Amino acid sequence: MADHVPPKLDVAQVRGDFPILASEMNGRPLVYLDNAASTQKPACVIDELARFLREDYANIHRGVYDLSMRASEAHDGARDRVRRFLNASAAREVIFTRNGTEGINLVAQSYVRPRARPGSKVVVSRMEHHANIVPWQMLGEATELGLEVVELTPEGELRLDELEAKIDDDTLLVSLPWVSNVLGTVNPVHRIVEMAHAKGVAVLLDACQAIQHLPVDVQEVGCDFLVFSGHKVYGPSGIGVLWGKAELLEAMPPYQGGGEMISSVSFERTTFADLPFKFEAGTPAIEAAPALARALDYVAGLGLDAIKAHEDAVLAYGTRALKQIKGLHLLGEPAHKSSVLSFVMDCAHPHDIATLVDLDGVAIRTGHHCAQPLIEKLGQPAAARASIGVYNTTDDIDALVASLQRVVGKLG
Amino acid sequence: MDAVSITNRQRELEEEFALFDDWREKIEYVMDLGKALPPFPEEARTEGNRVHGCQSQVWMDARIDPETGRLRLVADSDAILVKGLIGLLLRLYDDRPPREIVDNPPEVFERIGLGRHLTPGRANGLYEMVRRVRELAAAQAA
């Protein structure tokens, strides 16, 4: 039988779906290569935001009038859209948050904190975003929770033997990124879940850099919690998702208190609402939810297999092209890599690289990428990062490379 | 009027930048200033002199010269652009009396199109450097 061939992406059509890609930056056509920081929005998402605000907007889950009902239905519909996108078993397992960061903080406060005893620990890795470091440290100050850090191979892969050794009776949670935002490493999530579950430990996957690049099926992976941000999957900012297994979420105390999350309130006693509302205190990002649903429709319509095949081809092309540039060093060359090209150059500080390529209309990111422990371990003060989204092409890579050659010409 | 007064220095800078046609020329000029920045004394490269909040590493040693009573400023960065911004800052404030520094905020940055770099939270640390220099001057002038 022939190998499965993913449907091909019509990238010209995709580019046409994103109005901002036709714009200019510094008088040059915009080459947007900062997708790991945030993605641009297709017209269908922009239109849905505007349509909802024009036609269906009211506060949700309160009004008995038709408009509020319509807004509530849109919200409920969005939750179910997320459920289908993740292949979760129930919509009540989908908690709307502000972003991935809030999802991790929620798990820290409501899952880990009640279990924390002196000596307890959470296992993370050297490749963490600050969002998967600082919440545990803050919790550690309140509860003596410790942080175990799994180191990486020189290629930028998790040391799985070390991971396995660090999960023990004191481990409350293994919390790791599906894809590294600096190295692009695609972690072996099935193997990680298997290792943790073999010792009865739950797994949180930070899917902020995976959800837009590869198929994510929470039941198939078997993790216990998963978080992502709407703005990184072509949706609006201000909305994110925490998915968790219902039996875990049900046993967890609320995260924040307020409206929406209660069943009844008196000054003597408050009872809490059921899932998912227990974890959604206060008015949410009402108009963001249907827009996020539309973004997920859009991504699912293109097909994550097709997106992955396209982006992997652009990544491979970019990897070869960047290696041709004198004095440029790629950071992270794992066997399984997604969408990210981090690099340093002998001739120029990353800040200068980004400043100069900006003049050519090329948007890349520099700095520590919210992963200071990793950048320091790599022996760099900072790094430059070009990151690929569904609409990027080899032309974008060519524009980046031409611009980087000018950097070499100016500062080399 | 003092030929090297901050007012004059701001006017000179504005005239220099008026010669450029586009943003690219301005940025490249700032980078050229950065390449020409005087070397930073290694003994001043201390943690206390680190300026945080930038994507590059920045060190700044600002002090009042006990003989002249004027501000003396040296600074350095590992990014050329930031060195250039330092060069501009030196052009404005180095070797000037604290009172005059307090009385003359760095308005020229806005006028030459670099105002967006002078906002808190920007990546290059210019805001923080200006804040430190003007705080020192204010403490001295008080």
Side-chain angles (χ1 to χ4, degrees):
Chain A
M1 208 172 90
D3 286 344
H4 171 65
V5 180
K8 199 155 163 50
L9 197 80
D10 183 347
V11 72
Q13 190 177 337
V14 168
R15 290 185 68 81
D17 293 335
F18 289 80
I20 208 166
L21 297 181
S23 69
E24 295 190 336
M25 187 167 77
N26 290 319
R28 305 289 294 272
L30 173 65
V31 176
Y32 187 77
L33 288 167
D34 194 19
N35 294 286
S38 199
T39 53
Q40 299 298 343
K41 316 306 170 198
C44 62
V45 169
I46 299 167
D47 293 348
E48 175 60 14
L49 261 177
R51 188 207 62 77
F52 182 83
L53 289 171
R54 281 176 193 280
E55 298 173 12
D56 285 345
Y57 184 83
N59 209 334
I60 56 167
H61 301 144
R62 282 173 227 214
V64 296
Y65 51 92
D66 176 62
L67 189 59
S68 173
M69 303 256 199
R70 286 211 305 271
S72 302
E73 280 159 18
H75 206 76
D76 299 344
R79 196 186 305 276
D80 197 60
R81 186 67 192 89
V82 174
R83 179 197 67 74
R84 281 186 289 129
F85 196 82
L86 298 175
N87 190 33
S89 55
R92 65 199 178 100
E93 295 185 325
V94 174
I95 314 295
F96 282 130
T97 60
R98 284 184 297 132
N99 45 39
T101 297
E102 189 176 45
I104 296 175
N105 277 277
L106 195 162
V107 173
Q109 294 300 327
S110 293
Y111 179 77
V112 174
R113 185 177 192 137
R115 290 170 170 75
R117 306 281 175 271
S120 304
K121 62 192 188 182
V122 167
V123 174
V124 299
S125 76
R126 174 63 66 176
M127 67 172 78
E128 287 335 306
H129 189 283
H130 295 164
N132 197 28
I133 300 173
V134 183
W136 310 119
Q137 284 174 334
M138 290 170 64
L139 191 54
E141 284 182 11
T143 66
E144 295 178 57
L145 179 85
L147 204 53
E148 283 281 358
V149 181
V150 177
E151 294 294 339
L152 310 180
T153 67
E155 292 75 31
E157 294 174 347
L158 279 179
R159 290 192 182 278
L160 289 178
D161 50 344
E162 197 180 314
L163 172 62
E164 187 156 40
K166 285 193 161 152
I167 305 172
D168 60 27
D169 292 346
D170 293 322
T171 308
L172 297 180
L173 185 74
V174 172
S175 186
L176 292 168
W178 192 316
V179 174
S180 158
N181 71 315
V182 176
L183 304 169
T185 311
V186 181
N187 285 316
V189 288
H190 295 86
R191 184 86 188 89
I192 290 165
V193 168
E194 196 184 344
M195 276 181 187
H197 285 183
K199 295 179 184 171
V201 175
V203 176
L204 184 158
L205 291 177
D206 173 356
C208 283
Q209 303 293 344
I211 194 80
Q212 67 282 51
H213 297 303
L214 45 87
V216 169
D217 179 331
V218 291
Q219 296 192 76
E220 189 260 336
V221 169
C223 58
D224 302 277
F225 301 101
L226 179 137
V227 301
F228 70 89
S229 295
H231 71 95
K232 287 194 162 93
V233 60
Y234 311 103
S237 54
I239 190 166
V241 167
L242 162 67
W243 168 86
K245 284 180 176 163
E247 63 266 31
L248 297 179
L249 293 174
E250 268 165 1
M252 285 158 55
Y255 171 48
Q256 295 178 325
E260 286 273 338
M261 52 78 74
I262 49 86
S263 171
S264 72
V265 175
S266 70
F267 281 112
E268 289 70 40
R269 183 161 182 275
T270 292
T271 55
F272 301 117
D274 291 334
L275 289 179
F277 308 111
K278 180 172 76 172
F279 292 110
E280 295 180 356
T283 298
I286 296 172
E287 64 273 24
L292 172 63
R294 191 52 56 90
L296 299 181
D297 285 342
Y298 180 78
V299 169
L302 296 175
L304 276 152
D305 285 332
I307 291 172
K308 182 176 185 310
H310 167 72
E311 291 179 349
D312 284 353
V314 176
L315 180 70
Y317 181 89
T319 303
R320 284 194 302 275
L322 289 188
K323 281 182 169 176
Q324 304 297 317
I325 296 173
K326 193 173 135 248
L328 184 148
H329 310 280
L330 281 175
L331 303 178
E333 296 202 66
H336 298 282
K337 183 167 175 173
S338 169
S339 65
V340 174
L341 289 162
S342 288
F343 58 93
V344 292
M345 292 171 80
D346 293 338
C347 69
H349 188 278
H351 191 171
D352 293 325
I353 299 171
T355 302
L356 286 171
V357 303
D358 166 56
L359 299 174
D360 291 331
V362 180
I364 62 169
R365 185 76 181 270
T366 67
H368 51 59
H369 311 293
C370 297
Q372 279 183 5
L374 172 59
I375 297 289
E376 268 169 37
K377 185 81 174 183
L378 294 170
Q380 305 295 341
R385 179 186 69 189
S387 51
I388 296 161
V390 63
Y391 35 64
N392 289 120
T393 65
T394 54
D395 289 349
D396 294 331
I397 299 294
D398 290 344
L400 170 67
V401 168
S403 191
L404 291 175
Q405 294 290 13
R406 278 194 281 278
V407 173
V408 175
K410 173 137 188 80
L411 298 177
Chain B
M1 191 171 174
D2 188 348
V4 292
S5 70
I6 296 173
T7 308
N8 272 346
R9 292 173 175 197
Q10 301 221 51
R11 190 179 307 128
E12 275 170 24
L13 271 177
E14 198 180 346
E15 284 164 9
E16 275 175 45
F17 274 78
L19 299 175
F20 300 125
D21 292 328
D22 65 11
W23 182 242
R24 170 184 296 275
E25 289 181 354
K26 286 183 187 175
I27 287 293
E28 292 189 342
Y29 179 67
V30 174
M31 284 189 160
D32 288 341
L33 288 178
K35 288 182 185 171
L37 194 70
F40 187 75
E42 283 311 309
E43 65 274 13
R45 210 177 290 278
T46 61
E47 192 49 41
N49 281 339
R50 276 286 293 275
V51 178
H52 292 282
C54 14
Q55 289 192 357
S56 57
Q57 302 187 74
V58 179
W59 293 266
M60 189 175 80
D61 187 15
R63 61 181 69 203
I64 305 296
D65 185 324
E67 285 182 19
T68 62
R70 293 176 170 210
L71 181 102
R72 293 315 308 255
L73 193 58
V74 283
D76 195 18
S77 169
D78 51 357
I80 305 283
L81 177 83
V82 178
K83 286 179 79 163
L85 294 172
I86 290 168
L88 293 174
L89 195 61
L90 260 62
R91 288 266 300 268
L92 288 194
Y93 288 149
D94 186 36
D95 202 23
R96 295 311 304 171
R99 182 78 254 164
E100 190 192 355
I101 292 172
V102 172
D103 291 341
N104 287 276
E107 286 161 355
V108 68
F109 286 110
E110 197 66 53
R111 293 204 289 268
I112 63 180
L114 291 171
R116 70 201 319 204
H117 293 291
L118 251 190
T119 319
R122 287 300 183 270
N124 54 49
L126 182 62
Y127 174 85
E128 182 61 19
M129 283 188 280
V130 168
R131 194 187 64 78
R132 275 205 202 183
V133 167
R134 290 179 54 76
E135 246 180 39
L136 178 67
Q140 195 66 24

